Amino acid sequence: MTARAAHAIVTGAGRGIGAAIAARLAAEGFAVHLAGRTAAALEAQAAELRAGGHAEVHCHALDVTDAAQVEQLFTRLDALCAAPAVVVNNAGISGSVPFHRMEHAHWQSMFSVNVDGVFHVCRAAVPRMREAGYGRIVNVASTAGLKGYAYVAAYVSAKHAVIGLTRALALECARSGITVNAVCPGFADTDMTAETVRNIVDKTGRTESEALAELTAGNPQGRLVQPGEVADAVAWLAGEGAGAVTGQSIAVAGGEVTP
Ligand code: NAI
């Protein structure tokens, strides 16, 4: 790894897929910056990484919907490096409601975190990466960015927007040494999916295992995706060797979505 390729930011790194990505990038030798809303969760994750021998782990409590807080993170990093080599936009929220009962506030909350959050982070990262002549941006979208699902119209629309941004920004940055890609997990084994299962149980009266079976039925492998499997795809896109790969949306979903 070159000196300028040393720092990696992961948003929503306190748990789930983000925590797995941060651990994977630390194992690759990056100095990792864990960013997210809950300081205690970030610190717990950082302590685990440090105990595993990764000395360069930093925590940044922030809300990705707040542009000023995001800019502050990048300003702090300016003291450490010309630009972060890798930025992973993983922070996200999901929620379900039938469209005919959807309030505008629900729609806005899905866009605020899942789209505006990615915008704010990319907006801060891209000028610095352009200046450095190098960068890897990876957006954690979803299979919901590639196909529709019932009862999650706002989430699906927001994740489609993330893929649109990925494609457009990749073209704009194509001659700047910056790649911009998305990974699109299917239902993954995280707290977010556990909440989805609880929601189905509450709303339909199905058992937990019936609800889980409903989610895994959409995956041809008949299982949840593991966070580490998403992290492996991100690590590849974050590496120098993936320099010719840009504007892509790679499904990590057991074959649920095929081109
Ligand atoms: P999770 O709910 O376990 O973790 C999400 C993390 O993002 C949490 O640490 C949370 O605190 C953080 N976060 C949420 N809003 C934030 C904000 N405004 N500012 C900063 N941090 C914030 O979710 P999971 O499953 O690890 O998901 C990670 C990403 O993967 C999300 O973008 C999600 O949409 C996406 N995804 C998840 C799938 C799943 O089945 N769990 C499937 C496909 C995509």
Side-chain angles (χ1 to χ4, degrees):
M1 189 183 306
T2 62
R4 72 181 174 194
H7 292 261
I9 297 173
V10 183
T11 67
R15 67 181 201 185
I17 292 171
I21 292 169
R24 184 73 167 75
L25 294 178
E28 293 285 321
F30 288 97
V32 290
H33 296 262
L34 314 182
R37 285 176 308 186
T38 318
L42 299 175
E43 288 298 346
Q45 196 53 37
E48 213 171 286
L49 293 179
R50 290 185 195 115
H54 305 297
E56 274 231 66
V57 184
H58 308 266
C59 297
H60 308 270
L62 59 75
D63 186 323
V64 294
T65 65
D66 185 327
Q69 290 183 27
V70 170
E71 185 57 35
Q72 275 167 18
L73 159 66
F74 280 81
T75 305
R76 283 199 291 277
L77 254 79
D78 288 342
L80 301 174
C81 56
V86 176
V87 168
V88 182
N89 282 302
N90 165 80
I93 57 169
S94 68
S96 69
V97 59
F99 186 77
H100 62 279
R101 278 198 238 122
M102 188 182 293
E103 304 281 351
H104 191 222
H106 172 84
W107 177 271
Q108 281 179 313
S109 70
M110 288 300 134
F111 272 74
S112 173
V113 180
N114 296 319
V115 186
D116 293 0
V118 177
F119 166 76
H120 294 318
V121 173
C122 289
R123 184 63 189 80
V126 166
R128 291 169 167 91
M129 288 177 166
R130 274 189 182 279
E131 187 78 20
Y134 182 87
R136 298 276 182 268
I137 296 173
V138 185
N139 299 324
V140 181
S142 170
T143 48
L146 299 169
K147 59 178 266 195
Y149 294 88
Y151 308 118
V152 283
Y155 181 73
V156 165
S157 302
K159 290 299 188 180
H160 273 67
V162 171
I163 289 177
L165 172 63
T166 301
R167 290 179 174 147
L169 190 54
L171 296 179
E172 263 188 59
C173 293
R175 290 173 186 252
S176 308
I178 304 167
T179 64
V180 189
N181 291 289
V183 293
C184 300
F187 282 108
D189 193 3
T190 70
D191 290 334
M192 184 184 273
T193 298
E195 279 159 32
T196 303
V197 166
R198 270 196 298 277
N199 205 21
I200 295 172
V201 169
D202 287 350
K203 285 184 180 156
T204 65
R206 292 188 190 118
T207 66
E208 217 168 274
S209 59
E210 283 168 346
L212 185 60
E214 196 181 309
L215 300 186
T216 55
N219 178 328
Q221 293 180 339
R223 66 179 180 89
L224 294 177
V225 173
Q226 293 304 309
E229 295 177 307
V230 182
D232 280 348
V234 171
W236 172 63
L237 291 168
E240 290 190 15
V245 182
T246 195
Q248 302 305 302
S249 304
I250 298 172
V252 183
E256 182 181 351
V257 184
T258 50

